[in-house]
Amino acid sequence: MAQEFSKGDHVSWKSHGGEAEGTVQKKITEETEAAGRTVKASADEPQYEVKSEKSGGTAVHKPGALHKD
């Protein structure tokens, strides 16, 4: 089972320029528009919206791509 994250968790993930860090904003459990794209998430396969510390932008990642710091 994939790791669970909560709003406010500090996480890191691999990015184009190496490793990025940020904060979990919310858990997404249904298909929705987030971070400028359609996110195909479900209760069984959630995704997480994170805010980058460096850019201030948001992105959506699957739990396997995130690492809790």
Side-chain angles (χ1 to χ4, degrees):
M1 172 127 186
Q3 185 171 358
E4 289 275 328
F5 299 95
S6 301
K7 182 176 180 174
D9 283 351
H10 190 265
V11 295
S12 60
W13 61 94
K14 288 196 182 341
S15 183
H16 306 297
E19 186 143 305
E21 297 181 32
T23 307
V24 174
Q25 300 297 297
K26 67 179 175 180
K27 179 178 183 178
I28 301 170
T29 56
E30 60 187 21
E31 186 171 323
T32 187
E33 292 289 324
R37 67 180 181 90
T38 300
V39 177
K40 297 201 183 279
S42 67
D44 290 335
E45 294 185 25
Q47 295 192 40
Y48 294 89
E49 184 174 303
V50 293
K51 183 174 183 179
S52 170
E53 287 179 356
K54 189 172 182 180
S55 70
T58 58
V60 177
H61 295 286
K62 293 182 179 180
L66 298 173
H67 306 282
K68 196 180 289 193
D69 296 336

